[in-house]
Amino acid sequence: MEPQSYIPKIVIGIITYNNPVKEISRCLESIYSQLYPTENIQIIIRNQGKYRILEQIQLLIQEKQWHDIEVYQGENIGFGAGHNEIFSHIAPNSKAYLCMNPDGFMHPSALKELISMADYNEWHGIFEAIQEPIMHPKSFNSKTGVTDWCSGACLLIPVCIYKELKGFDEDFFLYCEDVDFSWRIKTKGYQCYTCSKALFFHYAMDRDDRKTEIWKSAVLLAHKWCASQFKHFAIKQLNDCVDLSDFIYDNYLKKYQTHNLSDVIKASPNFKNGLTFSEPMWR
């Protein structure tokens, strides 16, 4: 553990995509309301939506007189690639990188609690906040916080681990990249943790209009982790969303590299519970 007087530098990365400015403001307000010294927080926002959103964010920052925020425009390259690009801008003395969705906001003690859990575990893993009012239906150990995978909605990642893994797998555009990242964490001997004392208020959206993207990512995840049975199940679900009758999906997937058997064994990916990718929390 670090000395008690040591206060680590934390970088918070946020990707915006046509979010209402009120939503972004609420997210940023929660950062500046943290029970953690703001001088040790760097905020980087990458806007991947309309340019007017960037202008609104810049105006908001001026009005609020917020500091230590870098905001810039970039093309829509997805969640994982977007965070990887933000990560290339972090200060060299940064201890950890926090992925944070702009459509949510942290309880004032959330960052402090995440860092406390990371410090207790000697920063030997990744650490997610509990999502309220609806948590992902996956299990975690109530004593240790150990969980099968961590959501990227509010996720603390030590910089050294982010670098070791070379960030998120950019083959995933949206969805399942956090599951894949978590499993790759395990292949390196690290652990995934849920911090039950760190609250992140994240309002669940209706995903019915995103089923195609979700199942595309699920197919890719299954392919990469050698889960052939689930892969073909996911392809069938995808076919219910978009007509694949003239498309040979297995041939398309050949361009994506799969993990070796040793890594699959280390990660022990869970495909038995559908898109939960974990034992349900009510078991």
Side-chain angles (χ1 to χ4, degrees):
M1 295 186 186
E2 303 283 357
Q4 287 189 344
S5 59
Y6 173 73
I7 303 176
K9 178 84 171 182
I10 305 299
V11 182
I12 300 178
I14 301 171
I15 295 174
T16 54
Y17 182 78
N18 300 335
N19 300 80
V21 68
K22 287 184 178 180
E23 193 172 79
I24 298 169
S25 178
R26 183 183 63 185
C27 173
L28 294 174
E29 287 278 8
S30 78
I31 296 174
Y32 284 100
S33 300
Q34 288 300 297
L35 301 175
Y36 193 81
T38 55
E39 61 267 24
N40 288 78
I41 300 174
Q42 177 189 13
I43 305 168
I44 305 176
I45 302 172
R46 175 183 169 88
N47 181 54
Q48 298 189 166
K50 297 177 181 177
Y51 190 80
R52 65 175 174 81
I53 304 298
L54 175 71
E55 295 174 332
Q56 290 174 350
I57 296 172
Q58 291 171 330
L59 182 61
L60 176 67
I61 292 170
Q62 289 178 350
E63 290 176 348
K64 298 287 187 177
Q65 297 184 336
W66 284 330
H67 55 85
D68 292 329
I69 299 183
E70 176 186 345
V71 54
Y72 66 101
Q73 185 73 20
E75 64 177 303
N76 185 14
I77 55 178
F79 180 91
H83 277 291
N84 290 348
E85 213 286 322
I86 291 176
F87 187 81
S88 68
H89 293 248
I90 69 173
N93 63 333
S94 304
K95 178 69 174 181
Y97 179 80
L98 180 74
C99 297
M100 185 174 174
N101 281 14
D103 58 348
F105 59 98
M106 292 188 288
H107 183 278
S109 65
L111 184 55
K112 183 179 177 181
E113 293 293 349
L114 282 169
I115 291 170
S116 177
M117 176 176 254
D119 192 51
Y120 179 81
N121 289 282
E122 299 182 338
W123 300 84
H124 202 75
I126 58 176
F127 309 85
E128 68 172 355
I130 280 279
Q131 293 184 43
E132 296 288 351
I134 300 174
M135 179 59 182
H136 277 288
K138 63 183 183 67
S139 63
F140 67 92
N141 187 300
S142 59
K143 293 182 179 180
T144 65
V146 170
T147 189
D148 289 331
W149 61 274
C150 289
S151 165
C154 187
L155 177 62
L156 187 70
I157 309 170
V159 166
C160 59
I161 292 179
Y162 202 111
K163 288 180 177 178
E164 184 177 353
L165 266 73
K166 297 181 173 61
F168 291 96
D169 184 341
E170 298 183 10
D171 288 342
F172 295 91
F173 182 77
L174 187 63
Y175 301 118
C176 295
E177 65 283 293
D178 47 6
V179 182
D180 173 81
F181 186 81
S182 299
W183 291 345
R184 288 194 291 125
I185 281 286
K186 293 183 179 182
T187 69
K188 301 295 184 181
Y190 301 111
Q191 191 57 269
C192 301
Y193 296 93
T194 297
C195 182
S196 59
K197 293 182 178 180
L199 304 181
F200 181 68
F201 296 90
H202 187 221
Y203 294 95
M205 66 180 71
D206 184 357
R207 291 185 170 183
D208 284 344
D209 62 341
R210 299 194 176 191
K211 282 184 178 180
T212 299
E213 291 301 323
I214 292 172
W215 284 112
K216 277 183 181 178
S217 295
V219 169
L220 182 58
L221 184 73
H223 171 75
K224 284 178 172 283
W225 291 94
C226 306
S228 59
Q229 185 174 349
F230 183 84
K231 178 176 72 173
H232 290 104
F233 167 76
I235 290 174
K236 288 180 181 178
Q237 301 306 308
L238 180 58
N239 195 42
D240 289 339
C241 303
V242 58
D243 186 9
L244 299 174
S245 56
D246 297 324
F247 188 71
I248 303 174
Y249 218 87
D250 278 326
N251 288 346
Y252 164 76
L253 290 169
K254 288 179 181 178
K255 66 179 181 178
Y256 295 108
Q257 187 174 356
T258 60
H259 292 282
N260 60 52
L261 180 59
S262 175
D263 282 349
V264 172
I265 292 172
K266 289 177 184 176
S268 188
N270 187 329
F271 287 97
K272 297 180 295 183
N273 294 285
L275 295 175
T276 302
F277 302 117
S278 169
E279 295 301 316
M281 62 181 175
W282 54 80
R283 283 187 182 175

